[in-house]
């Protein structure tokens, strides 16, 4: 039960962190991570270049890493 509660809490934290990204970053992350789309597919879907998608995902992942760092390091509020 504690393990399930921890997963639920982590899921909520990740959802909040993802919701804090701008819409383009959020969409790119969702397409890449959960829909398993390639850079090319994301670029076509979002009408961006592949380079722009890579940059968008890099920034989004970097910001998510920062937002989640306290939880991953055990320093959660």
């Amino acid at each position: 039960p504690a393990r399930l509660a921890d997963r639920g809490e982590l899921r909520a934290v990740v959802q909040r962190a993802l919701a804090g990204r701008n819409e383009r970053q959020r969409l790119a992350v969702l397409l890449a991570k959960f829909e398993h789309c390639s850079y090319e597919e994301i670029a076509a879907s979002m009408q961006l270049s592949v380079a722009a998608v890579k940059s968008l995902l890099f920034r989004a992942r970097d910001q998510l890493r920062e937002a989640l760092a306290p939880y991953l390091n055990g320093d959660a509020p």
Side-chain angles (χ1 to χ4, degrees):
R3 193 179 251 173
L4 289 176
D6 289 345
R7 278 193 207 152
E9 182 180 339
L10 182 58
R11 182 177 294 121
V13 168
V14 170
Q15 288 174 344
R16 282 194 303 271
L18 191 54
R21 303 304 97 207
N22 67 48
E23 183 153 344
R24 286 178 8 143
Q25 287 181 343
R26 190 169 47 250
L27 179 58
V29 169
L30 291 173
L31 289 171
K33 184 68 178 169
F34 300 105
E35 297 297 327
H36 308 288
C37 293
S38 67
Y39 291 135
E40 292 79 10
E41 292 168 327
I42 297 168
S45 172
M46 296 181 70
Q47 298 179 344
L48 298 170
S49 68
V50 171
V53 168
K54 288 179 180 181
S55 177
L56 192 63
L57 283 169
F58 176 82
R59 286 192 313 274
R61 289 173 179 149
D62 192 51
Q63 291 173 3
L64 285 170
R65 194 174 300 111
E66 276 185 38
L68 297 173
Y71 297 92
L72 300 175
N73 296 332
D75 302 330

